[in-house]
Amino acid sequence: MELTELKIAIIGLGYVGLPLAVEFGKKSSVIGFDINHSRIDELKRGEDHTLEVSSDDLKKADQLNFSANLHDLKEANFFIVTVPTPVDQVNRPDLTPLKKASETVGQALKKGDIVVYESTVYPGVTDDVCGPLIEKITGKVRGVDFKLGYSPERINPGDKEHRLENIIKIVSGEDAETLEAVAQLYSVVVEVGVYKASSIKVAEAAKVIENTQRDVNIALINELALIFHRLGIDTREVLNAAGTKWNFLKFSPGLVGGHCIGVDPYYLTYKASELGFNSRVITAGRYVNDTMGNYISKKILQHIIQHAGNVKESKVLIMGTTFKENVSDIRNSKVADIVNVLQSYYINIHIVDPYASSEELKHEYGFELTSEAGNDYDVVILAVPHTEYKKLDENYFASITKPHGLIADIKGLYRNKITNRHYWSL
C-alpha cells in the first residue's frame, strides 16, 4: 500500500503517541485519537503541556487531525496503539488501557487493516491478548481479515537530542508481508532506519529488557552508594575513579521512577513467574530502587533530629516532583515516597516544581505545590535537577535555610559547591 493510500490513526496522544502523530502528520493523513477530550482541545489549540512537541511542529503537521470521536477512526486503515501500560498497587501488569484501546480499534476495523502496538508489554501480549480481543469484538479472523504488528516505542521524555527520527526503530509483523508494510511505514519518519525483528515476541522482549537492563545497573550503583556511605566514602569520587577504565559502565545513583525504568521490569518478572521461574536479579534491583526514597527520608530525619530539635516544628523544602528533570510527567515519581515518609512525622513540607501540575499532584499523590519558597528551612531537598535549579548558587540556599540547614542534593548537582551549609548527596 502506497503512503498516499494510507490513513493512519494514532491511539493515545501522550509522550509517545503525539511525537509519532506529528511526524507522520507532516507526510501523510493522520488521525490523532485520544479519549481525553481536554487533551484533544489542548492540541487543537496548538499546545502540548508535556512539552514534547512545540507549537511550531504542531503547525507543520498539516495533515494531522485530532479527535476523540470513535466515528473518525473508521476512516483509518493503519492503526498504531500507543497507550500506557502501568502496573497495579502490587506491581502486576495492568493491561486495562491496552485492552480498551484494542476494543476501540476493533470498533473501527475493516478487512485488510493493520494494527501495530507500541506499548511496552511482556512477550506474548500482542499475540495472546490483543489479537484475540480484536477477534472477539469484530468477529474477524486475525491473519485473514486483519494483521498485527509490534514496534516498541523508544521515546525518552525531555530528551531533545534522541528523537523519534534519529533512533533506530524495531519493527515486527505476524508474517513477512505485514513486517514489510510496517517497516516501510516507519521508514518514512525514522531517518536512521528500522531493525526487522524475526517475530512479534522478539520485538516485545527487546523492548522490555532495554529498561530492565538500566534498572538493574542503577540498582547496583544505588546499593554501592549505601555501602560507601557507611564507609565514609564519596560515591561519585569512586565512580569517577572507576570510570577511567574504558569498559566501566557509567551510571549514577538516584531515584528511579517514571513509566519506563520503574515499571517495565515488573512486566518481565510477572511473565517469568507465570512460567514458574522466580527472577532474582531483576526483583532484587527493583527492591533496591524502590526503597531509595525511604533511605533518603531517613537521612533527612537524622539531620533534623540532630540539628533542629523538635521534628514537628521543622520545615523542609522539596525542589522537584516530576520523575526526571525538565518534564511535566509525575507518573510513578519516587519523590512522593519522600513526601509520604516526612509527612508521617508531621514535618512542615513545602514543595515547588516549575514543570509539575499542582492539580495532577493532588489527584495522584494527595499533596500540592507551594506558591513560593520560604526562607527558614531546616532542610532543602533538591530532588529533581531541573535546568532552572542549575542557575542557583550556595548564597541562594543560604538565604532560604537556617544556619544548621542541610542541602540534600540527591543527584549531586551542587557537589563541592556548598560550603556554608551542611551538604549531603547520594
Side-chain angles (χ1 to χ4, degrees), residues 189-255:
V189 293
V190 181
E191 297 172 1
V192 293
V194 300
Y195 177 90
K196 297 178 181 178
S198 61
S199 69
I200 288 176
K201 284 186 179 180
V202 166
E204 290 170 325
K207 169 56 183 174
V208 79
I209 71 166
E210 289 176 10
N211 289 322
T212 299
Q213 183 188 65
R214 285 184 54 78
D215 191 45
V216 170
N217 277 286
I218 296 171
L220 170 62
I221 302 303
N222 274 334
E223 188 165 90
L224 291 175
L226 303 183
I227 295 171
F228 295 148
H229 286 166
R230 286 164 172 78
L231 290 170
I233 301 173
D234 187 304
T235 303
R236 284 179 172 77
E237 286 187 7
V238 176
L239 294 177
N240 289 340
T244 59
K245 188 179 181 185
W246 71 92
N247 59 354
F248 185 81
L249 301 179
K250 296 185 178 181
F251 289 89
S252 301
L255 296 171

Side-chain angles (χ1 to χ4, degrees), residues 13-25:
L13 298 175
Y15 289 85
V16 175
L18 181 61
L20 187 65
V22 166
E23 289 307 311
F24 275 126

Side-chain angles (χ1 to χ4, degrees), residues 20 44 49 53 139 145 170 196 221 358 373 400 410:
L20 187 65
K44 284 183 175 180
H49 78 273
V53 174
D145 299 315
I170 297 174
K196 297 178 181 178
I221 302 303
S358 187
I400 64 171
I410 295 176

Side-chain angles (χ1 to χ4, degrees), residues 18 22 24 115 140 153 176 190 232 253 282 328 331 352 370 387 426:
L18 181 61
V22 166
F24 275 126
V115 185
K140 294 180 171 60
E153 59 89 4
V190 181
I282 299 172
S328 61
R331 290 177 297 175
V352 295
T370 305
T387 297
L426 282 176

Side-chain angles (χ1 to χ4, degrees), residues 78-215:
F78 202 112
F79 299 86
I80 301 177
V81 178
T82 61
V83 297
T85 43
V87 291
D88 63 17
Q89 294 298 318
V90 291
N91 295 320
R92 293 176 304 193
D94 179 4
L95 298 177
T96 302
L98 196 64
K99 290 178 179 179
K100 288 187 177 296
S102 297
E103 291 172 356
T104 297
V105 169
Q107 294 177 64
L109 204 66
K110 302 175 298 301
K111 186 176 178 60
D113 290 353
I114 294 176
V115 185
V116 175
Y117 290 87
E118 289 210 4
S119 307
T120 303
V121 293
Y122 55 80
V125 168
T126 303
D127 288 326
D128 303 335
V129 178
C130 300
L133 184 55
I134 293 177
E135 287 183 317
K136 181 180 178 181
I137 291 292
T138 63
K140 294 180 171 60
V141 179
R142 173 191 166 185
V144 177
D145 299 315
F146 69 95
K147 301 289 185 71
L148 292 183
Y150 183 80
S151 180
E153 59 89 4
R154 281 177 162 172
I155 295 293
N156 184 26
D159 189 340
K160 302 305 180 184
E161 179 182 355
H162 302 98
R163 309 298 292 173
L164 172 68
E165 61 271 18
N166 60 23
I167 302 174
I168 294 174
K169 198 84 164 69
I170 297 174
V171 295
S172 65
E174 64 175 274
D175 54 36
E177 180 184 25
T178 307
L179 172 61
E180 192 58 34
V182 174
Q184 287 183 6
L185 178 67
Y186 279 104
S187 294
V188 172
V189 293
V190 181
E191 297 172 1
V192 293
V194 300
Y195 177 90
K196 297 178 181 178
S198 61
S199 69
I200 288 176
K201 284 186 179 180
V202 166
E204 290 170 325
K207 169 56 183 174
V208 79
I209 71 166
E210 289 176 10
N211 289 322
T212 299
Q213 183 188 65
R214 285 184 54 78
D215 191 45

Side-chain angles (χ1 to χ4, degrees), residues 214 218 221-222 234-236 239 250-257 261 292 296 319 322-325 335 338 381-386 389-390 407-416 423-426:
R214 285 184 54 78
I218 296 171
I221 302 303
N222 274 334
D234 187 304
T235 303
R236 284 179 172 77
L239 294 177
K250 296 185 178 181
F251 289 89
S252 301
L255 296 171
V256 182
I261 300 178
M292 289 305 292
I296 292 168
M319 302 175 67
T322 57
F323 89 91
K324 64 180 288 189
E325 62 271 19
V335 178
I338 299 175
I381 304 174
L382 190 56
V384 185
H386 292 310
Y389 298 157
K390 295 179 181 180
I407 311 304
D409 183 9
I410 295 176
K411 295 293 289 185
L413 191 63
Y414 284 93
R415 183 171 170 270
N416 297 327
Y423 179 84
W424 178 85
S425 179
L426 282 176

